[in-house]
Structure formats: structure tokens, C-alpha cells
Amino acid sequence: MGVLPIYGLVLLGDLQATQQGGFQFPQLQDTAINMLILVLGFGGLLLALLYFVCGERLADLQPKSGTVLADVGSGLLLALTLIGTQVLFNIVLATSLETSIPDANLTIAYELADDPLLLAFWLGPLVWLQAGFFEEFTRVFMLSRLWQVWPGRGERWGVLLGSALLFGMGHAYQGALGIAGTALIGFILGWHYLVYKRLLPLIIGHALYDTVVLLTMVAAVHYGAL
């Protein structure tokens, strides 16, 4: 009820982009509307299901004790892990800088480099609210529900792999390389939650990772490296 409509609409959007011949960069207003729909609409749906159907609170998604300071430190380490993993992934599977970056990401980098207002929006609410909070809340909501249904060790790893694949497919507009790289990122984030059972480090780690990736691509465009 909570997760399938989200990924269904994302996959439908990717399919439409493929049929149209590639990724079309949205206008700032459209981007803001889409973000609000995801964060407020579907995020509100997940919260309602969590509170009124599952009988839990957001705090229940962090069953292991911890502090904000520890979560921030864990999030920083997680972001570094994601960055390092993605660098190694590109070195192993890509032969050049151009082929290691999906065409859709190149389009985003060029558009952001030409529009400081759009760049500020992406680095602010889009990265921290949509990519950071909403995507990780969705991931943790899905994993925690399914792990209650399938609590065995092998079953938990199966759910983790399935969620990572679904996360990768949600970025199909980035091409095969983008799907594989994003699935790997999703697996690491899901593994972190499986081990540490804390939501906040995932939000921080994901948002910082996206911020570094975006700024790196924009800087590469600005200095003529792309």
C-alpha cells in the first residue's frame, strides 16, 4: 500500500522517458511540485500507515539506542563509504570519465552549472528532503515491515537484495550503469540499517553523498572536465 505506488510511478516515469528518447530535464517549478508530491503526499501516506495501521512511531524505526552526535558521525562515515564505493565501481566498470557518468546525470550537471538558483534548490530541499529524508524513510519503512514478515537471517538478506534492486530500477533513466551503481548504493544503505537500526545516519549519509556527487559534476562542467 505504501511503497508500490511510489516505485510504480517512478518506474512509469522512467519508461516514458525511454519512449521519448531520453531524459528530459524538468523545469524548476515542475521539480518543486514533484518533490512536494513525494515528500508530503507519499511521505504522509507512509506516516499514516506507520501510525494508524502499524501502530508505531518514527522513533520505532530507530530501535537501537543512540545519540544525535553518534548518528551524525555514523552518517559522515556512511557518506565516505558510499563515495569510495562509487569511485571503485566506476574504476572497475567504466573505461573513461565520460562513460562512467550516465547521460541523464550529465544533463543534470550541465543544467545545474548554468542555473545557480536551480543548483541551490537541488542542494537544499531536493537533496535533504527528497533524497535524504523521503527516500531513506521509504527504504526503512519497507525493510522494517518486510523483516517482520520474514524475520529469518536468509530472508532478511533476500529482502535487502530485493529492495536494493528495486531502488536501482527506480533510476532506470540513468541507464544500465546507473541502475547497477544505484542498486549498490541502496544495498549499502540497507545493510547499514540492518546492522545499526538507525534511520538518521542513512538520511545524513545519503544527502551528503548526493551533495558531493552533484557539486563534483557541476565543478567538472565549470572547469571544462566534462
Side-chain angles (χ1 to χ4, degrees):
M1 291 175 59
V3 175
L4 290 181
I6 299 171
Y7 282 104
L9 287 177
V10 171
L11 292 174
L12 178 61
D14 291 343
L15 178 61
Q16 291 175 341
T18 302
Q19 293 175 343
Q20 293 171 358
F23 175 78
Q24 300 294 321
F25 195 86
Q27 298 295 321
L28 176 59
Q29 181 178 357
D30 295 334
T31 303
I33 293 174
N34 292 337
M35 185 201 71
L36 289 175
I37 290 174
L38 286 174
V39 175
L40 299 180
F42 287 108
L45 172 62
L46 293 183
L47 278 174
L49 291 174
L50 182 68
Y51 275 75
F52 300 112
V53 176
C54 303
E56 298 182 20
R57 302 171 300 165
L58 273 176
D60 295 321
L61 298 180
Q62 299 202 123
K64 282 191 176 181
S65 60
T67 64
V68 173
L69 182 60
D71 285 341
V72 171
S74 182
L76 290 173
L77 291 176
L78 180 57
L80 291 175
T81 301
L82 296 176
I83 293 169
T85 300
Q86 199 61 231
V87 170
L88 291 176
F89 174 83
N90 289 332
I91 291 175
V92 171
L93 295 185
T95 57
S96 68
L97 180 61
E98 287 78 17
T99 58
S100 69
I101 302 178
D103 291 339
N105 288 11
L106 287 174
T107 300
I108 292 174
Y110 279 106
E111 292 285 346
L112 295 181
D114 290 335
D115 191 337
L117 178 61
L118 187 61
L119 176 61
F121 180 79
W122 275 63
L123 292 178
L126 194 68
V127 165
W128 285 92
L129 288 179
Q130 181 175 318
F133 172 75
F134 174 74
E135 290 188 10
E136 293 314 310
F137 173 44
T138 302
R139 185 192 319 281
V140 168
F141 177 88
M142 176 171 59
L143 290 175
S144 60
R145 301 310 97 193
L146 294 179
W147 285 339
Q148 290 183 17
V149 179
W150 296 297
R153 179 179 177 84
E155 295 170 328
R156 285 183 294 169
W157 280 100
V159 168
L160 176 56
L161 289 171
S163 70
L165 179 60
L166 187 60
F167 185 61
M169 291 301 298
H171 295 72
Y173 67 91
Q174 296 180 1
L177 191 65
I179 293 175
T182 306
L184 179 59
I185 294 300
F187 178 82
I188 294 173
L189 289 164
W191 170 84
H192 191 281
Y193 185 71
L194 175 64
V195 174
Y196 298 103
K197 294 294 191 301
R198 301 287 295 178
L199 171 60
L200 185 56
L202 271 63
I203 296 173
I204 295 172
H206 190 166
L208 289 177
Y209 167 77
D210 278 8
T211 298
V212 171
V213 170
L214 281 173
L215 288 177
T216 300
M217 291 194 302
V218 170
V221 170
H222 181 75
Y223 290 105
L226 288 179

